[in-house]
Amino acid sequence: MALLKSAAMEFTEQLLCREPAEGQGKLSLYASRGYESRTAWEDSVRTRVRHHEHPDMIEIVPNKPEEHPTIISVDNIRDHVTDTVMVRPYEAAYKVYLIEHAEMMNAQAQNAILKTLEEPPAHVIFILATTEKHKILPTILSRCQIYDFERMTIPGIINHLKMVAEKEGITYEEEALNVI
């Protein structure tokens, strides 16, 4: 799950660094937020996401995650989603809801979030991080883009390294790629 959470956090960073669609403002997002450069703004976004401090990233975790994940209750969904989803993002173009261990949502919680997923506001993105998508209601899955992350194989890594080396014009020894 750590790898999945890491990928979800990286995706969240990318989403929060995006500019809104064209025509939604003449000033760039970073300039309108008082940053001198896009790089300074992106660095700020990344730092705050990594420290779980970004105001437009709402993390929803199971009750008592320090022990082990137990359940994401309907109250947890209501408190974090239903009551806040219509509020516009504070700083970014989007508000990102990251639901860790989404398979731990009970039936009532899944039904509560389903209402929002049926007609989500344009400024809202949900990331349901789970290793057990079969535990998510089919009606929820039908409203999602699904990305299955898998570990790369050794031959896959070697082929990727070859491609990068050839693209960059770097000579290599076949055996060296196996060592890397």
Side-chain angles (χ1 to χ4, degrees):
M1 188 63 174
L3 183 61
L4 181 61
K5 181 177 179 178
S6 175
M9 294 295 279
E10 177 68 30
F11 193 55
T12 299
E13 287 177 15
Q14 296 299 319
L15 289 169
L16 294 176
C17 286
R18 288 184 66 180
E19 291 281 341
E22 292 211 24
Q24 292 186 7
K26 294 180 181 178
L27 211 57
S28 67
L29 195 56
Y30 73 85
S32 68
R33 302 297 188 251
Y35 290 92
E36 292 183 23
S37 69
R38 181 169 181 83
T39 303
W41 175 60
E42 287 178 353
D43 288 345
S44 172
V45 168
R46 287 189 174 92
T47 299
R48 289 180 293 143
V49 166
R50 288 183 191 131
H51 290 104
H52 309 275
E53 298 172 347
H54 197 288
D56 296 324
M57 178 183 78
I58 295 91
E59 288 183 272
I60 302 170
V61 296
N63 303 347
K64 302 180 185 174
E66 62 282 351
E67 297 168 15
H68 53 78
T70 54
I71 191 171
I72 297 177
S73 66
V74 67
D75 291 333
N76 203 339
I77 295 298
R78 284 186 186 138
D79 292 346
H80 290 95
V81 179
T82 312
D83 295 345
T84 65
V85 75
M86 296 311 286
V87 178
R88 304 272 320 154
Y90 173 72
E91 182 178 300
Y94 302 100
K95 185 184 285 190
V96 179
Y97 290 88
L98 174 56
I99 304 176
E100 281 183 48
H101 295 282
E103 74 276 4
M104 302 308 270
M105 286 189 288
N106 63 22
Q108 295 86 1
Q110 289 190 45
N111 284 320
I113 203 166
L114 182 59
K115 291 180 174 122
T116 303
L117 288 172
E118 287 172 344
E119 294 183 32
H123 63 270
V124 171
I125 295 175
F126 287 96
I127 298 175
L128 282 68
T130 182
T131 56
E132 302 178 58
K133 71 180 176 192
H134 63 276
K135 292 185 177 180
I136 307 294
L137 289 174
T139 50
I140 290 177
L141 293 176
S142 71
R143 290 164 174 78
C144 296
Q145 292 180 5
I146 298 173
Y147 301 96
D148 291 321
F149 295 100
E150 297 177 3
R151 290 189 182 270
M152 287 183 71
T153 63
I154 300 294
I157 294 170
I158 291 170
N159 287 336
H160 186 72
L161 288 172
K162 285 179 184 178
M163 180 189 71
V164 171
E166 289 168 6
K167 182 178 178 184
E168 297 295 325
I170 299 171
T171 58
Y172 59 89
E173 292 180 24
E174 195 78 30
E175 191 128 340
L177 297 179
N178 289 318
V179 173
I180 293 175

